[in-house]
Amino acid sequence: MPHERFRFKDRAALEQKITDLGLDIPFSDDISILFSHVVLARRVLPNRFAVLPMEGADADPAGRPTELTLRRYKRYSEGGASLIWFEATAVTADGRSNPRQLWINTETRDGFRKLAKETRLAAHRKFGSDHNLLLVLQLTHSGRVAKPEGRPVPVIAQHNPLLDAKQGLSPEHPVISDSALDALQDDFVSAARLAHEAGFDGVDIKACHGYLVSELLAAFTRPDSRYGGSFENRTRFLAETSERIKLAVRGIFVTSRLSVYDALPYPYGFGVDREHPENPDLGEPVRLIKKLRNIDFPVLGLSLGIPAFQSHYGRPYDKPLIGQELPDEHPLVGVSRWLRLTSEIQKAFPTLPVVGAGYSWLRQFFPHVAAAMVERERVSLIGLGRGSIAYPGWVNALAADGILDQRKVCVCCSKCSQMLRAGQPVGCAVHDADTYQVQYRKARKRAKEVRRIEKKTARSARKRSRRKA
Ligand SMILES: Cc1cc2nc3c(=O)[nH]c(=O)nc-3n(C[C@H](O)[C@H](O)[C@H](O)COP(=O)(O)O)c2cc1C
């Protein structure tokens, strides 16, 4: 099923393609269920929509939100979603993915307080003060993709030949010690306390996309460690840290955005069939969620794939990042994988509100799929990522008109991902061009420079090996 760009004129053409591909992507004509209430963390939320966490790379050097950060979140909350899941926010300096990543600490806490307050106020001004809006802050350590000063300083949980080769890491590169992980647990607890003081309702210990906590879940080969090998050990960091936050920080709930399928072969991926890595195996993810459920998680965010390695699993797209090949997979296959895995997790935990994702590629037709998913109890909340960057007012548009403006939807061009990769402020270079076109140009220039350097390095390596031969 080769890759294909989105060229469907109407819903019938899209549905026909889905049938031709033999995929299970349900549609519903009636989308009113998306505006039904849902109870989450003892609050009644007015609709089923969530803005997914998306790094904006627009903090100041200390990690404080800037005016650009405030602008993004005000647009989201005015947009009408009932859950805003704030982006990956570092808990330590060495865990920052770039020098502009948000970083919560005692110096920056008041900046986060302003961010939470203004985000809430923007929604209350627009929808009234009884509009229930839930704010979750995602806490993270970027692990092997950490670039605190702009250069890679990878912190790895275990060696992984596939990712090590891609990053040029030698077998001698140190693996983070157990004692450093113990200390990092303290950092997550402190960050959760600061998030509570800043006014967030919940914190998410980010366990997806191959970042440090996610890599630990798959640390099958981590030697002689309390954090590696067995299921208990690999899930220890997430479970213990969640439990500690629950006990130490009253008044904030704890949750996680969890990758249930890393799409990396055993023994390097979580949620992967050991014989056939192209197939998910949800046995361990389900076991882990049971454990987290006992810690009272009131909601669970799902994700999949490792974007730094293969971004199409988590974000089906039309155009790849500069220098990357198109995947040999139709984006609809990616969408249906998202829906299938979400359904399986929601079915296994019918009373746990699950936030799904992967809808943006469906453009203006996604609400019909989302409604069918909620109707069939395959998911509780619909998260939109790139679609929210492109069209922050999409919930209001749906509420008012019942349809989305096809001129405003995300075109899955990967420009926002390209900006993030370059550490440039992230936004929509297509629909918010006055603010972000210039950032995209810088990101594109940077990507081209990196490609030139990579090609030159590869040429020199080839020459060296020819000379040796
Ligand atoms: C620019 C960008 C930044 C992202 N940052 C985060 C992040 O901070 N945390 C996270 O869990 N996922 C992050 N994601 C993934 C999205 O939350 C989402 O899972 C993904 O884009 C798929 O949903 P979509 O098809 O609606 O875009 C990011 C995605 C993009 C494009």
Side-chain angles (χ1 to χ4, degrees), residues 338-349:
W338 255 115
L339 302 184
R340 189 176 72 249
L341 296 182
T342 308
S343 305
E344 286 182 28
I345 297 293
Q346 183 69 86
K347 292 276 173 204
F349 300 94

Side-chain angles (χ1 to χ4, degrees), residues 50-57 72-73 85-89 97 101 138 140 204 206-209 211 257-258 302-304 307 311 313-317 335 338 356-362 366 383-389 410 412 414-421 426-427:
V51 173
L52 293 174
M54 278 166 303
E55 272 187 67
R72 281 190 293 123
Y73 284 98
W85 202 302
F86 285 69
E87 71 205 71
T89 298
S97 61
Q101 186 179 31
Q138 185 174 69
T140 193
D204 151 20
K206 182 175 188 178
C208 56
H209 307 158
Y211 297 99
R257 188 144 197 244
L258 180 69
L302 292 188
S303 199
L304 48 95
S311 51
Y313 280 96
R315 307 170 194 170
Y317 53 71
V335 173
W338 255 115
Y359 294 92
S360 289
W361 194 82
L362 296 170
F366 96 81
L384 202 67
R386 293 161 297 170
S388 299
I389 299 183
C410 171
C412 298
S414 294
K415 287 183 178 172
C416 54
S417 298
Q418 194 76 59
M419 294 174 189
L420 180 58
R421 189 146 296 192
V426 175

